[in-house]
Amino acid sequence: MPETEAFLLLDVAGVACALARSSVSEILPLPDLHAPPGSGGFLAGFLNLGGVPVPVVDLARLLGLRLVAAPGADDPYRHILLDAEGTTGFLVDRVENLFVVEASALRPVSAERTLNGCVVSEIARADTLVHVLGLPQLLTVEERTRLSALTDAAATRLAALPAA
């Protein structure tokens, strides 16, 4: 029996992308996010997950596929994917499907061909080429450091408020 791997098929600003199912802990419908003033860039805001602020990265803006927030920012089909550790969320336009492919169908992509090696492989699917993203490679060390500092500041603000 051939070895297979499961992927989530994503729509990111009209571009077909995929993530290994094992790299995602949860798929959440898009809730209201807290976007602190001056956060800008690819940070869509923070998700309050049980009293813990989780930064949510707008994947389309991070990858340069969209320069500003999507016009239908409250679109019910938009989703947040939590990474395996549940510490970072990634906002996508839609999670389309879960599909399984044989390992032999994955075409490796050289890390030098993409920023930070974020595209780890490609899958030919029907008449399209699907880019498989590696969650650990999506953010640079500097981006992770800055995101961590913003998350710490959001946690401090939240802790300063009396319990509801």
Side-chain angles (χ1 to χ4, degrees), residues 27-28 32-33 36 56 71 81 83 94 103 117 130 142 150 153 157 164:
I27 302 169
L28 304 170
D32 287 329
L33 299 174
V56 177
L81 304 171
D83 63 5
R94 187 175 307 228
V130 178
E142 176 71 16
L150 288 170
R157 285 183 62 148

Side-chain angles (χ1 to χ4, degrees), residues 23-26 28 43 45-47 49 52-57 80-90 135-136 139 144 147-148 150-152:
S23 68
V24 175
S25 64
E26 288 186 66
L28 304 170
L43 180 62
F46 289 94
L47 168 66
L49 197 59
V52 176
V54 175
V56 177
V57 172
I80 294 175
L81 304 171
L82 287 181
D83 63 5
E85 296 80 29
T87 57
T88 306
F90 293 90
L135 274 185
L139 298 170
R144 285 187 189 283
L147 202 55
S148 178
L150 288 170
T151 303
D152 290 345

Side-chain angles (χ1 to χ4, degrees), residues 49-127:
L49 197 59
V52 176
V54 175
V56 177
V57 172
D58 184 331
L59 201 50
R61 288 174 28 203
L62 176 69
L63 298 175
L65 299 173
R66 186 182 296 126
L67 299 179
V68 295
D74 58 350
D75 183 340
Y77 292 106
R78 297 185 84 202
H79 294 100
I80 294 175
L81 304 171
L82 287 181
D83 63 5
E85 296 80 29
T87 57
T88 306
F90 293 90
L91 178 62
V92 298
D93 292 330
R94 187 175 307 228
V95 176
E96 304 250 339
N97 200 359
L98 175 69
F99 66 103
V100 176
V101 297
E102 290 183 15
S104 61
L106 296 170
R107 299 176 186 166
V109 173
S110 170
E112 293 80 35
R113 286 186 48 209
T114 64
L115 179 63
N116 209 39
C118 67
V119 176
V120 294
S121 59
E122 297 172 328
I123 302 168
R125 194 157 191 265
D127 60 346

